[in-house]
Structure formats: C-alpha cells, structure tokens
Amino acid sequence: MKARAAVHVDFKISNIDERLYSAFIEHMGRAIYGGIYEPGHPQADAQGFRKDVLKFVQDLKIPAIRYPGGNFVSAYRWEDGIGPKEQRPVRLDLAWRSKETNQVGINEFADWAQLAGIEMMLAVNLGSRGLEEARNFLEYTNFPSGTSWSDLRQSHGKTDPYQVKMWCLGNEMDGPWQIGHKVATEYGRLANETAKAFKAFDRDIEAIVCGSSNDGMATYPEWEREVLEECYENVDYISLHKYFGNKSRDTLNYFGKIEETGRYIQTIAGTIDYVKSKKRAKNDVHICFDEWNVWYHIREEDSHRWRTWDWPEAPALLEETYNFEDALFVAGLLNEFIRRSDRVRIACIAQLVNVIAPIRAEKNGPAWRQTIYYPYRFASVYGRGEALNVAVDAPKYNCHVADDVSYLDVAAVYDRSAGVLTLFVVNRHLTERAELDVSLTGFARAALFEHHAMEGYGLHETNGPDRPDHVIPKLGAGVGVEDGNLKGSVAPLSYHVFRLTTN
C-alpha cells in the first residue's frame, strides 16, 4: 500500500493544551479502593496508597485528573469524606448500587494527586444538591483561612488551600439515569448561577458545563444549544463523553468510529460558534472531552450484575481487559484529539485504574499496564507543543459509521523550543504494509533519532498479571529520512511513534 503524507513547519492547527492528556477517576468499583488506595497491601505507603500503581501513574505524566465522579457525584455529599476517618459515615452509592465508606475524600485524594504530580479537576453535585453545597466545597478547598469552611479544612490538618481552578458543574445531567436529571434549560440556569458564584470567588476559575453524555442521545445536539444559551458568558468549557466498542467484531468499522468522533466534535464546535454569535459574546468556550475510552468487553454482563447485587463495598466492576486492537484504536483516537486540539483543549481518559482503565491492580497482588497504556503514555509524554496539519494521501475504505476512512492515520506535534517533531502513525490496513513517504517541508535538517513500534501482535492479544509485558512497544526499524522525506515500510495493524530532531 502506497501511503504519502506531508507536514509543513508553518501549517499549525493550535498550541496543544497539555491537559489534552488528562484522566478521570471515580468512586466506582475498585478504582479508588483496591486501585490507588489499598492499606495493608505490600506496596502500600503509610497513607495506604499503592506505590506500584502510583509509579505507573507518574510515568504517564498526567497533567490533570477529574474527581470524584462521574455518576457517583450526583448523589455525593463531599462533607462525608472529611474529618477523622473513624467518624466518617458509610453511605449508599445510588449510582453503582454499592456502599461508600468515605475513607478517601478530598484531602486524601489531594495528597495522592500531589504524589502523582497531577492537578485536580473537581466535580460538584448538581444532581441531588445545588449551588450552596458547591460553594461550600469551593470555600473548603480554596480559601486560605479565617472562614468557617477554610478553618474546618485547617482543623483537618490541611493548612494550605488547594487552589483548584477546574470545576465540573455536575455530570451527564442530560442522562435520565442520572440522580437529579434535569432538562436543558433547568440545568443551564443552575450551571450559570453556580459558575457566576464560583467566578465571584475567583475570576480565574474555569467552569466546565455538562454537554451530551454521548452523540446518540435523543437530545443531542439541542442539549448543548439550550444549555449554552443559558450560561455561555459564564463558562469556559462544555464537556463531551463517548465510549467505544467492537461488539460486531468488525475491526475497520471500529477504527471508523474515530471519524465519527471527529464529526461529534465538529458539531459541538459549530453549536458553540452559533451560540456565541447569537449572544454577541466576546468569550470563547472550548470542549472538555472529559470521559472517553473503550468499554464493551464485559459491559453487558456487568450492567446486569451491578443492578442486582446487594450493596457490596468496592466490588469488581467494569474491569475490562484490553487487547492489541484496542491499543490501535486508542492511538487513533488520541491522534484525532491532537488534530482537533484547536477546539478540544481538555480530554480525560476514563478511567485510570481498574475500572475501564489503562492500569489494573489485583487485591493483595500485582499491578500491570494494559495494552492501551502505551499509546496514551506516548501521546502524553511526546504530544506537547504545536499540532501541525498533516495531508495524507493513502487508500481509503467505507464502513457502517463512516466513508472515506484512510488506512493511514497520522498526527504531528512540533516542540519548537526543543526542535523535535513527533509523528504518531497508525497503519489500519488488515493485511498490507504501508510504504511511507512523508514530506517534511521546512524541516531541512530533520533526522530520525527515536522510533517506537507496536506491531506483530494478534488483535486479541492482551497483558495480564501472569504476563504483564506481553503486548508492549519495541524499538522500530525500517524507516529513516531520505532526501528530506521520512521513508520506509510499516507493518499492517501497527502503531508507530517517530521522533525527529529538526535543528
């Protein structure tokens, strides 16, 4: 398969916001309890945080993390998770039909986030609660001292405020499954008043309003229009969620869902522009794609289990095992986020540990990195800088969800200060190698110095506790710079990261 592409040093899409590579973790299943936190585990530190899991998290260089939900947040009392642990109440979590012990709350999570080097993005309950409780949470976390809530934080041993700047105003409020579900205008008014109150406290706060739970919702995209017409001038982002799967076992259609996601982003970007024009607003609203991942392997089975079980404590839930096909999909989706980084400024993989996650951890046992961990890490570590346009000329295919899907998927990021160009390349073809010829205009001195490849695996091969390093990236070969172009051959169904010096 002949596959040409062209990159130009001056054809910039945007300066990538590093928060494009953020994450999400919820009080759900074993994401918190048995995931990041397991007192008594051989790898637990003095606070009960698992050091093996923490090391995997640190290696991802995650800029921000959304917490504590998710559906969980829509009936959550944040006050239950502060103060002496032995005095904290056990509550019923209505979202996932389980018991919440509240042994991890905002202060413990803040300690973990600091250890991990991650900025917090906090979500407030606008389902069963409202503006007043959200405002109190903000004062507890962010005000230095001298008020009831800030002094209470200090009494809990946290002298310095957390200065959290990113606040999610509820979660999936368009969803009938959500505790406290609201219609668009009702939610938009509440979000507007909450954002106004938060910005009265601190003008630098970034308010994230709920968009559609997915692009299949009956209210999409009217939901976004109606919500934004109520709150546009006081919010900074609108959130989008989307999960992916391949129940039909059609690999090319699965990969085509990345194109479908691009249309989703484009539609909401157009809706934002429409509302901005209609309101004659001066501010810009961007997209926060704060839940995305592959979720289908055990989704139906677990959907039945959690609806019928008898309120267990931290049960195993949605512990997907990801395969090589999923890794290729995640690589392509991250490429799409890079290409759409002028509109998508923040994105959060959902979730981080155990629950539909790149990291898994067994109770009293080992932790390991799933196949999807690696493309996520490559994008996070090497995808900082300027997103560049890439013109691709390669064979295409049609599928159920999209037409004219290119077999060759390429995203480019240029770190101008370091003089490094990184190309993220996926060959989606099922059987044919791609004969690459990538024109590097404006990069006259380009030289390939690093090539990582994930190739040669069966689509359904996985990692696990018994073979944690089975599907991993290796050093690539067969590609180099010739006459100013990147040339060479890459295997079918493969993912590559090419890093080139340009000075």
Side-chain angles (χ1 to χ4, degrees):
M1 178 180 75
K2 300 288 186 182
R4 297 189 304 157
V7 182
H8 193 296
V9 66
D10 294 327
F11 290 3
K12 185 172 80 171
I13 298 170
S14 71
N15 291 318
I16 296 172
D17 188 322
E18 66 176 18
R19 296 175 298 177
L20 194 68
Y21 310 113
S22 296
F24 166 49
I25 197 165
E26 181 175 356
H27 283 252
M28 175 184 180
R30 297 192 316 113
I32 300 291
Y33 307 110
I36 67 170
Y37 177 82
E38 190 180 339
H41 189 279
Q43 288 284 331
D45 67 11
Q47 289 183 276
F49 297 126
R50 285 187 57 159
K51 292 181 286 187
D52 52 352
V53 172
L54 181 64
K55 179 61 169 62
F56 288 157
V57 171
Q58 289 169 331
D59 288 347
L60 289 169
K61 307 297 182 187
I62 299 167
I65 189 162
R66 179 172 172 253
Y67 170 87
N71 292 353
F72 171 82
V73 80
S74 289
Y76 178 52
R77 292 175 49 85
W78 67 268
E79 304 94 327
D80 291 341
I82 58 176
K85 287 191 175 185
E86 64 275 11
Q87 296 177 17
R88 296 181 189 178
V90 175
R91 302 285 191 191
L92 296 181
D93 168 26
L94 301 178
W96 304 112
R97 197 177 169 82
S98 56
K99 290 189 181 78
E100 170 56 50
T101 65
N102 286 300
Q103 292 302 288
V104 172
I106 180 58
N107 293 322
E108 290 79 18
F109 188 75
D111 287 343
W112 179 86
Q114 184 176 34
L115 289 172
I118 307 176
E119 183 179 0
M120 290 190 295
M121 177 197 304
L122 296 182
V124 297
N125 177 356
L126 293 186
S128 67
R129 310 185 86 188
L131 170 56
E132 183 65 13
E133 294 85 358
R135 189 178 70 84
N136 294 343
F137 190 20
L138 172 65
E139 187 176 313
Y140 180 89
T141 59
N142 281 21
F143 200 71
S145 63
T147 68
S148 175
W149 289 109
S150 61
D151 288 348
L152 181 62
R153 184 197 69 247
Q154 292 208 335
S155 76
H156 295 152
K158 303 300 178 183
T159 303
D160 297 327
Y162 298 128
Q163 300 297 351
V164 177
K165 296 299 184 182
M166 292 171 283
W167 290 85
C168 299
L169 307 181
N171 174 75
E172 292 187 354
M173 300 307 297
D174 64 322
W177 58 84
Q178 204 71 207
I179 301 298
H181 162 64
K182 295 170 175 60
V183 298
T185 53
E186 177 189 18
Y187 168 67
R189 286 177 59 82
L190 175 58
N192 186 60
E193 295 306 314
T194 305
K196 279 168 53 181
F198 276 39
K199 288 176 180 287
F201 176 89
D202 180 357
R203 292 301 305 174
D204 292 331
I205 279 177
E206 294 179 293
I208 304 162
V209 68
C210 293
S212 290
S213 302
N214 61 74
D215 54 348
M217 298 294 292
T219 53
Y220 160 82
E222 277 294 294
W223 171 272
E224 281 81 0
R225 179 189 65 79
E226 293 183 35
V227 167
L228 287 173
E229 286 183 355
E230 296 291 341
C231 64
Y232 186 95
E233 292 94 333
N234 291 307
V235 301
D236 303 278
Y237 298 89
I238 188 163
S239 71
L240 302 184
H241 294 175
K242 189 172 175 68
Y243 292 96
F244 305 88
N246 186 21
K247 288 177 61 178
S248 65
R249 302 296 182 185
D250 183 339
T251 297
L252 292 179
N253 189 67
Y254 185 30
F255 294 159
K257 293 178 181 181
I258 295 166
E259 303 294 319
E260 184 180 52
T261 306
R263 296 198 302 266
Y264 185 17
I265 294 166
Q266 186 174 354
T267 297
I268 299 309
T271 305
I272 292 169
D273 292 345
Y274 167 77
V275 176
K276 179 180 181 179
S277 297
K278 181 178 179 180
K279 298 179 78 69
R280 275 62 171 175
K282 295 181 179 180
N283 62 304
D284 290 320
V285 171
H286 290 101
I287 292 171
C288 176
F289 213 118
D290 56 27
E291 286 189 33
W292 67 267
N293 206 346
V294 174
W295 176 14
Y296 80 100
H297 293 284
I298 58 171
R299 185 170 185 166
E300 289 185 4
E301 174 188 338
D302 269 9
S303 179
H304 174 73
R305 286 199 315 121
W306 75 258
R307 285 180 169 86
T308 57
W309 61 32
D310 190 23
W311 304 96
E313 185 179 305
L317 178 63
L318 303 183
E319 298 192 4
E320 297 264 299
T321 297
Y322 292 118
N323 58 35
F324 180 54
E325 181 182 56
D326 300 325
L328 295 175
F329 178 87
V330 166
L333 188 61
L334 287 161
N335 280 0
E336 186 68 15
F337 287 151
I338 290 169
R339 289 189 289 266
R340 303 281 180 174
S341 58
D342 56 333
R343 305 309 294 257
V344 181
R345 308 302 291 171
I346 305 172
C348 303
I349 192 171
Q351 294 185 22
L352 186 57
V353 184
N354 281 336
V355 177
I356 48 174
I359 299 168
R360 289 279 300 277
E362 285 192 344
K363 184 177 181 180
N364 296 317
W368 67 96
R369 293 162 291 194
Q370 298 225 67
T371 61
I372 66 171
Y373 178 97
Y374 298 100
Y376 176 39
R377 182 180 181 276
F378 282 131
S380 178
V381 174
Y382 298 143
R384 316 281 177 106
E386 301 173 8
L388 299 182
N389 265 307
V390 183
V392 175
D393 180 14
K396 297 178 173 62
Y397 67 91
N398 297 334
C399 59
H400 177 69
V401 297
D403 291 336
D404 296 326
V405 180
S406 176
Y407 281 110
L408 188 72
D409 180 10
V410 186
V413 177
Y414 184 35
D415 183 342
R416 198 173 293 268
S417 61
V420 174
L421 173 67
T422 301
L423 300 177
F424 303 96
V425 177
V426 182
N427 179 6
R428 297 166 169 164
H429 205 287
L430 301 180
T431 58
E432 294 185 18
R433 300 184 69 87
E435 302 302 324
L436 290 181
D437 186 350
V438 183
S439 171
L440 306 171
T441 305
F443 300 102
R445 302 175 64 184
L448 182 67
F449 73 94
E450 198 171 325
H451 175 194
H452 303 277
M454 293 185 75
E455 61 184 1
Y457 298 107
L459 289 177
H460 301 115
E461 292 187 58
T462 65
N463 295 335
D466 55 336
R467 50 178 194 176
D469 298 321
H470 177 61
V471 180
I472 59 173
K474 299 174 182 177
L475 291 180
V479 177
V481 176
E482 300 177 20
D483 302 322
N485 287 16
L486 184 72
K487 295 183 179 181
S489 176
V490 297
L493 295 173
S494 63
Y495 169 60
H496 302 264
V497 180
F498 301 106
R499 305 197 73 217
L500 301 102
T501 57
T502 63
N503 295 332

